[in-house]
Amino acid sequence: FHDVGTMTGLFIHMYPPMLLYVMRWKTAEVLEAWPDTFAPDYEVEFFPSTEGSFIESVFGSTMIIYFVWLAPYTIWQVVGGV
């Protein structure tokens, strides 16, 4: 368990979700600890709504990034014959 590769993999997979959890649900504590560093006074649209655009939502921008990756990857898989 104390192998460098194992610990690195554990860190890179556990740290981002823990960071986002703290930033989302423990905002008061984060602002108290670092008052001039973060400004989490914003509204986030997770899913497209009638007022906002598809690109401005978290879901929409994530899907666009995924399909930008998926298209060349699929072409590479088909051409490479995997």
Side-chain angles (χ1 to χ4, degrees), residues 14-66:
M14 290 301 294
Y15 188 70
M18 287 177 11
L19 176 66
L20 291 176
Y21 174 83
V22 169
M23 292 296 290
R24 172 63 176 101
W25 298 108
K26 304 289 184 181
T27 306
E29 289 86 350
V30 170
L31 290 176
E32 183 179 326
W34 296 286
D36 298 329
T37 305
F38 300 102
D41 56 347
Y42 49 81
E43 290 293 322
V44 176
E45 293 289 330
F46 286 99
F47 297 102
S49 63
T50 56
E51 296 89 28
S53 71
F54 184 77
I55 296 172
E56 293 175 353
S57 67
V58 173
F59 177 78
S61 53
T62 303
M63 291 302 292
I64 290 170
I65 291 169
Y66 176 72

